[in-house]
Amino acid sequence: MAEVRALGIDVGSTTAKIVGIDDDGRIIWHVLEQADPQVGKQVEKFLELAREVTPILSVPIEGEREIGVPLIATGYGRKLVHQATRTVTEITCHARGVFRELGHGGTLVDIGGQDSKVIGISPKGEVVDFSMNDKCAAGTGRFLENTANRLGVHLDRLGEVTLSTVEEVSISSTCTVFAESEVISLIAHGVATEPILKGLHRSLIKRVVAMIRTVGLRPPLMLSGGVVRNPAIPQILQEETGEEVIIPRHPQLMGALGAALIALELVE
Amino acid sequence: MTAENAVLIPRRSEVASAFKQQGGLVAAVLPIHYPRALLLAFNILPMEVWGPPRVDVSLGSAHLQPYVCSVVRNALSFILGGGLDVADLIMVPHACDSLQGLGSILLDFLPPKQPVIPFYLPRGGSQQGEVFFAEELRFLYQRLEEIAGISPSNETIMKSIQWEEVADELLARLHKQRGRLQFKDHDFYRLIRTREYLPAEDFIDIAQSIFDADYEGQQEGIPIILSGIVPEPMGLLKTISEFGARVVADDLACCGRRLYPAGRSEDPFFRMAERILGGPPDWCRGSPIQDRLDHLHRMIDATDARGVIFYNVKFCEPELFDLPDLRQGLGDLGVPTVSIEVDISDPLSSQATTRIEAFFEMIR
């Protein structure tokens, strides 16, 4: 394996990711885990793993920051990563990561567990505008997670079950909690699981589309974040926008990759 | 150096008590525009009420819809909780529907112990608007006569206007020369917001002492413009400084939108009308969005600002109606913007901080 020259860590609300890149900015190592509320402990664990995988890697440790490879932290927990050389917001890091992966600008939609964001990226890879939904769970992965639990569908099967039907019921509540109540009511009235799930997905995507319109859609449309694993999300996003949805190879690692790329600039 | 070190900034409650001890009255005044000079001619001190932040909002929430902004919600809560008991009257300018609603609630449903005076502003700055406004001021004069029991002459009102004009001229100089003053943003806004409650003469003394100090510095940082209603929570200003930026001009309803020019008319009522209607463009006087856009653009040109932060109070409908067009218009001119919505009762959230930080990363 090539030498890790820079590290990026993305401490999200649902998952934490660390990425190591080589001189050319390629991902050569990464770890992705469910986020631990004890961020410091998880970061320490990540750094230990980094030492194991790349013996020549000298990661920054307290008091010896100057001898290690640079580490940039991003994500909502970035300020808790005390080992970081610097912190950078997830907006900048996601834009950097996706530009590196796809090689073009456009509009990036990132749907995370607890927030979602839309980032306008210039042809040179610069952030030109952004919008975040961070006060309400209705436009986030948590919305689906909650309701999937209520419907007894495992998260990994959510997309498959959703796409298995052409029928759909409209979910009128935009609030996650009220939507759950609405789902219970629909089940009680004998509505099948699949159309409910499809309606829930559409409800989430409509909120994301409103954010896209706030920023202004600059094609192509790109999608990242944990919910990309659910195939119903890109499909319904495509239906709602009329734009082909492009997904990078590592959709969950874009923030950490962007952070590592910024760290690499420090080396250079 | 902080504002406290440089000048003594008196607290609102102290100023109100001192004014009353000298035989004056105090008027609690809701946002945004009102004739300060007329009140002071009656020896009534206007004490502006922009919320305030950090009050028990449950008192007001019991009487308001959930989508009413926190400035109005907090004001009603503050009144119901006795926070404005020091005031001898409450004035509610009809700046927006929520403030008009607050006026109605106070007049019809929850009358406080003080008289409540609603006050109407004309939409649009035409000559007819000036005539209407001067009439409205004459009507207000009659109400104040009843409350204060005195009838100030035109000469007394004119003198009061002239004090206000001097104070406003110094306020405008402070705004313009802020980059050379010794204040960080947080302290600068604490200083200029004393205009919300200090008599003109006292503000003039403070402003003059700052210019007399003859400080010749140059503030560093990414220059940005702040637009919105009120810089609350004021932690925002510290956050801006921490991220290496500085506010070089503002389009805030409580600050930059009240840089009134001097009047020309010899009639005091027309002169007060001229001044208020001649201020920077503002939705509550019906200014076209294009005027607001042009005003922002002129500020950007004059200050080399790199972007605009729209810092809005959540549910402030008139402000939010203009927002998409303002952002689009500035975007077309290549000016980056970001929109942050806050509730003035809450501390600045980490999400809001992230947006501000990301915005600075974008324009750096």
Side-chain angles (χ1 to χ4, degrees), chain A residues 130-248:
Chain A
F130 62 90
S131 178
M132 291 174 81
N133 167 26
D134 50 28
K135 286 186 191 141
C136 168
T140 72
R142 190 79 75 203
F143 177 73
L144 291 180
E145 201 176 318
N146 272 21
T147 41
N149 281 344
R150 175 58 68 178
L151 288 163
V153 178
H154 194 274
L155 263 182
D156 292 340
R157 291 195 60 239
L158 205 54
E160 177 198 332
V161 176
T162 300
L163 295 175
S164 69
T165 179
V166 290
E167 289 179 26
E168 183 174 334
V169 291
S170 174
I171 304 292
S172 57
S173 300
T174 49
C175 163
T176 302
V177 177
F178 288 169
E180 197 174 319
S181 307
E182 201 174 334
V183 165
I184 293 167
S185 173
L186 288 167
I187 296 168
H189 283 85
V191 180
T193 300
E194 294 83 353
I196 296 175
L197 273 177
K198 202 157 190 184
L200 284 166
H201 278 71
R202 184 133 355 241
S203 173
L204 182 148
I205 291 297
K206 277 183 185 292
R207 290 184 69 98
V208 171
V209 170
M211 286 167 59
I212 294 173
R213 294 197 202 290
T214 304
V215 171
L217 177 57
R218 297 167 178 81
L221 187 57
M222 303 168 282
L223 181 64
S224 67
V227 300
V228 170
R229 288 180 302 155
N230 172 346
I233 293 289
Q235 179 166 322
I236 295 175
L237 182 60
Q238 194 158 320
E239 286 170 19
E240 289 294 323
T241 59
E243 291 286 334
E244 186 193 350
V245 176
I246 301 169
I247 298 171

Side-chain angles (χ1 to χ4, degrees), chain B residues 7 11 63 72 79 96 112 168 173 177 186 188 203 218 244 272 278 298 307 312 318:
Chain B
V7 288
R11 296 165 62 90
H63 304 279
V72 169
I79 292 166
C96 64
D168 281 345
R173 267 183 68 197
Q177 297 182 17
H186 183 267
F188 177 77
F203 181 80
Q218 190 61 49
M272 285 186 285
R298 279 193 297 275
N312 287 314

Side-chain angles (χ1 to χ4, degrees), chain B residues 170-223:
Chain B
L170 287 169
L171 179 67
R173 267 183 68 197
L174 284 171
H175 270 266
K176 199 169 178 186
Q177 297 182 17
R178 66 170 84 194
R180 291 175 45 221
L181 301 175
Q182 55 198 316
F183 301 105
K184 292 273 186 197
D185 286 335
H186 183 267
D187 293 325
F188 177 77
Y189 278 93
R190 283 200 61 223
L191 170 73
I192 61 167
R193 290 190 67 195
T194 57
R195 195 80 181 94
E196 294 170 15
Y197 59 94
L198 276 186
E201 294 90 325
D202 294 355
F203 181 80
I204 290 167
D205 285 346
I206 288 179
Q208 202 55 62
S209 72
I210 289 163
F211 290 120
D212 290 346
D214 201 23
Y215 181 80
E216 282 289 332
Q218 190 61 49
Q219 299 275 356
E220 300 289 327
I222 305 167

Side-chain angles (χ1 to χ4, degrees), chain B residues 17 36 50 82 130 137 151 160 162 167 174 202 230 242 246 250 272 283 300 327 337 341-342 345 350 359 362:
Chain B
S17 300
R36 198 183 263 142
W50 293 84
E130 237 173 69
L137 294 172
S151 304
S160 181
Q162 283 159 355
L174 284 171
D202 294 355
V230 58
E242 280 164 16
R246 67 192 168 96
D250 79 65
M272 285 186 285
W283 47 257
I300 291 161
R327 292 193 70 190
T337 63
E341 272 186 45
V342 292
S345 292
S350 59
F359 182 64
M362 188 172 102

